[in-house]
Amino acid sequence: MAEGPGFQVERLRRLFRFFAATQCRGRSPVYEALSEGVAGNDDLLNLLMSTPGDQRRPSLLFAAVNLLLASNPGSALAGYYPIHGGRRAVDDRLMPAFAAFCAEHRDELGRLLRTRSTQTNEIRRCVALRLGLDHVHRHWRGPVALVEVGASAGLNLLLDRYRYRIGGQETSSEDTAPVTITCEVRGGTPAGRFLGPIPEITCRRGIDQHPVDLTDPEARAWLEAFIWPEHTGDLAVLQGAIDLAVSTANVDVVPGDATTDTARLLGELPGSEPIVVFTASLLSYLTADARAAFAAQLQQAAAHRPVAWVFAEGPGLVATAEDLIALEGPLARRNSLYLVGASLRDSERREAALLALADPYLRWLAPARNETDDFQWLPTSTDPD
Ligand SMILES: C[S@@+](CC[C@H](N)C(=O)[O-])C[C@H]1O[C@@H](n2cnc3c(N)ncnc32)[C@H](O)[C@@H]1O
């Protein structure tokens, strides 16, 4: 079948249904109902067709509507969004209110969909970064340089400025930090301290195709628009992290493409200590060829200086960039979860280890029981269906 507009709309319809079932169920009754509703509404699906192909995602439509709701808090739709002060439970008037709001703001919505791209920054993923840093530190003692590729606004680069409550335990030395990251531990909390001390970070840099300038109120509002309707706590955490980043001015995200600029930008960093390259939710933006190109960039950089790639990404996507025995089995198909791992590379060797399987937003993680764990012990009922 030719991939004409009709084919694309059907693809989008399936994507909304998949999003409802795998991302929203159990996390957001409002987005679950709206995703199902949009899947059955050709007018709204066609509206999203004005967006460039690689950006046609449910999250883009929902963020654009959410942004417009921030300046229309009295609308019927805002009544369903706790982040806009709404208290109404999901009922059969939600989808009509959504469709009416989209019709009323069709021009503005169309402009946002044509010109904006998906932009999130989830600082809970710092937990994955810290697990990776612990692993790196066990193999390479001493300070490290830190680079996040696909860094968005760069909020994960401030990992040592946040407090952590992991598996109910405070694990931070930053007692006065204004932002607390919480993460549940599944499969049994390992004995002792779950996360080790953060090593000295000699320099920190973000690379992103579209860096977010947090001093620009519009860019800030767009980032905040990706918070889901019921997640008022997440909004407070994001706002706290943004305020911290703006006040410390310690976040440097430079424009660059993961697939062509990574090796050059790593090569420009001062010093000779190992570089920890963190990616979280980047690989889903890259084609299989682009993922291989990114892995080749890391290898190129590792010829000059040790490079550790710490990742929180879909297992099947990691499998295309990294050779791991555990990924030859069913683990590679558990793509609604994220695999946390680290791959240490220098001019002579490359060694990867799996550290945890986690919810994509790091609301929970299940630590690996050993470095080749394929997580068969973790019930698949954990995976959203
Ligand atoms: C889902 S966000 C994740 C941001 C951050 N890593 C986090 O976990 O919160 C993905 C980011 O990757 C960036 N991105 C997508 N493709 C890229 C590429 N080829 N090179 C660099 N950045 C890219 C996007 O601009 C976006 O900021």
Side-chain angles (χ1 to χ4, degrees):
M1 185 174 173
E3 294 200 8
F7 180 89
Q8 298 290 343
V9 169
E10 288 314 311
R11 216 181 133 262
L12 207 46
R13 195 188 310 282
R14 284 198 301 278
L15 194 59
F16 271 91
R17 292 213 167 106
F18 181 76
F19 188 70
T22 64
Q23 303 291 314
C24 307
R25 195 162 297 157
R27 293 185 187 132
S28 170
V30 173
Y31 276 179
E32 185 181 354
L34 291 179
S35 300
E36 290 289 357
V38 174
N41 184 317
D42 283 9
D43 198 33
L44 289 170
L45 292 174
N46 278 314
L47 184 64
L48 201 51
M49 291 298 288
S50 62
T51 287
D54 61 343
Q55 288 296 330
R56 261 175 232 151
R57 295 162 182 248
S59 55
L60 191 77
L61 175 65
F62 290 145
V65 170
N66 204 4
L67 184 74
L68 296 175
L69 277 177
S71 39
N72 294 277
S75 65
L77 182 60
Y80 291 92
Y81 281 57
I83 53 168
H84 297 302
R87 290 160 173 259
R88 198 173 169 140
V90 170
D91 58 19
D92 56 8
R93 294 204 191 152
L94 168 62
M95 189 54 208
F98 186 82
F101 187 86
C102 292
E104 195 183 331
H105 299 275
R106 194 172 180 94
D107 291 348
E108 258 175 304
L109 199 51
R111 184 183 58 77
L112 288 170
L113 294 175
R114 280 191 301 279
T115 55
R116 301 292 183 99
S117 54
T118 315
Q119 201 52 271
T120 56
N121 208 172
E122 175 51 70
I123 64 163
R124 272 207 204 84
R125 295 187 181 131
C126 286
V127 177
L129 173 55
R130 288 194 59 180
L131 264 187
L133 282 170
D134 282 355
H135 178 82
V136 173
H137 190 63
R138 280 195 291 277
H139 291 78
W140 297 338
R141 299 260 158 204
V144 294
L146 175 64
V147 174
E148 183 176 2
V149 182
S152 183
L155 297 177
N156 290 333
L157 297 169
L158 292 178
L159 75 158
D160 45 356
R161 304 297 303 271
Y162 306 137
R163 285 166 71 114
Y164 292 82
R165 195 173 301 121
I166 312 292
Q169 289 178 4
E170 297 278 341
T171 60
S172 173
S173 51
E174 276 282 332
D175 290 337
T176 57
V179 174
T180 301
I181 293 175
T182 53
C183 177
E184 183 197 332
V185 177
R186 294 191 177 171
T189 315
R193 230 176 119 90
F194 182 58
L195 294 173
I198 297 170
E200 182 193 343
I201 299 173
T202 53
C203 79
R204 50 191 95 201
R205 185 153 305 161
I207 300 172
D208 200 285
Q209 231 174 11
H210 305 291
V212 179
D213 174 7
L214 291 174
T215 61
D216 172 358
E218 269 197 36
R220 179 180 174 146
W222 181 239
L223 199 59
E224 291 178 6
F226 282 86
I227 298 289
W228 292 15
E230 300 87 349
H231 299 169
T232 48
D234 287 1
L235 182 60
V237 166
L238 177 64
Q239 290 171 334
I242 293 174
D243 289 342
L244 191 66
V246 171
S247 67
T248 59
N250 195 12
V251 175
D252 178 20
V253 184
V254 299
D257 190 311
T259 62
T260 50
D261 300 323
T262 301
R264 174 179 59 79
L265 290 166
L266 296 187
E268 287 172 5
L269 294 180
S272 58
E273 62 281 10
I275 303 173
V276 173
V277 174
F278 180 49
T279 74
S281 204
L282 168 74
L283 297 189
S284 64
Y285 289 76
L286 308 182
T287 61
D289 284 351
R291 292 194 289 274
F294 171 62
Q297 291 270 317
L298 294 177
Q299 207 51 40
Q300 195 181 325
H304 308 285
R305 182 172 173 178
V307 171
W309 176 31
V310 173
F311 52 81
E313 304 280 359
L317 304 179
V318 174
T320 61
E322 197 57 67
D323 292 330
L324 278 159
I325 292 172
L327 285 172
E328 288 170 9
L331 177 59
R333 291 191 291 280
R334 296 180 82 172
N335 280 317
S336 51
L337 298 178
Y338 275 10
L339 191 61
V340 179
S343 156
L344 274 51
R345 299 146 186 254
D346 60 24
S347 54
E348 281 152 26
R349 62 185 185 135
R350 177 167 150 184
E351 266 175 38
L354 304 184
L355 305 173
L357 197 60
D359 159 72
Y361 304 93
L362 266 293
R363 292 198 174 89
W364 61 262
L365 65 73
R369 296 185 168 169
N370 55 60
E371 289 192 0
T372 54
D373 196 353
D374 63 0
F375 299 94
Q376 288 298 299
W377 56 269
L378 186 69
T380 46
S381 57
T382 315
D383 305 6
D385 44 36

